[in-house]
Amino acid sequence: MRKSKGNSGNPSETPEVTRVRTPRKDKNEILATVGTLLGGKRVTLQCMDGVVRMGRIPGSKKKRMWVREGDIVIVTPWEFQDSKADVIWKYTGPQVNWLQRKGYLK
């Protein structure tokens, strides 16, 4: 007989969120929603400050972070070109629920 791995086979148990990374204003980080995937590690971002930016997923994060349309991410706008930004963090489902409960998402 096989032993099951994971959360004891009960799908109703959701993982508890203990710590969630929030955007830091001192580092000029903004929450954004991924609009469309443009290919070549580029995405369209609808930022919480009302600006639509072209986002770039850096090579160090590309393989670890699978970004899809509708994901909530943290971005850092470029200093010399405000219409572009780098994606630095992607939230999981329970983390997005926590952000909505705490009022970070509008």
Side-chain angles (χ1 to χ4, degrees):
M1 186 167 155
R2 282 177 127 180
K3 289 185 178 181
S4 63
K5 294 181 182 179
N7 60 357
S8 71
N10 189 354
S12 65
E13 292 180 17
T14 58
E16 184 178 327
V17 178
T18 54
R19 299 182 90 186
V20 176
R21 185 188 191 290
T22 56
R24 298 185 56 177
K25 299 291 181 191
D26 60 335
K27 292 189 176 181
N28 198 21
E29 296 176 348
I30 304 171
L31 283 172
T33 305
V34 176
T36 56
L37 302 174
L38 302 173
K41 65 187 177 178
R42 301 205 185 279
V43 293
T44 302
L45 301 167
Q46 177 63 47
C47 298
M48 294 298 165
D49 59 357
V51 180
V52 176
R53 292 182 170 93
M54 179 190 295
R56 182 181 63 132
I57 304 168
S60 62
K61 306 236 185 318
K62 186 175 184 231
K63 295 294 181 191
R64 277 183 259 157
M65 259 188 347
W66 288 83
V67 178
R68 292 180 282 175
E69 292 181 7
D71 283 347
I72 306 296
V73 294
I74 296 178
V75 299
T76 305
W78 291 4
E79 292 180 13
F80 55 90
Q81 196 172 1
D82 194 47
S83 64
K84 296 186 180 180
D86 286 329
V87 176
I88 57 171
W89 187 265
K90 179 188 143 187
Y91 288 107
T92 62
Q95 290 174 338
V96 171
N97 294 336
W98 184 89
L99 287 170
Q100 287 174 340
R101 281 197 317 267
K102 298 298 180 182
Y104 285 97
L105 299 177
K106 298 172 188 165

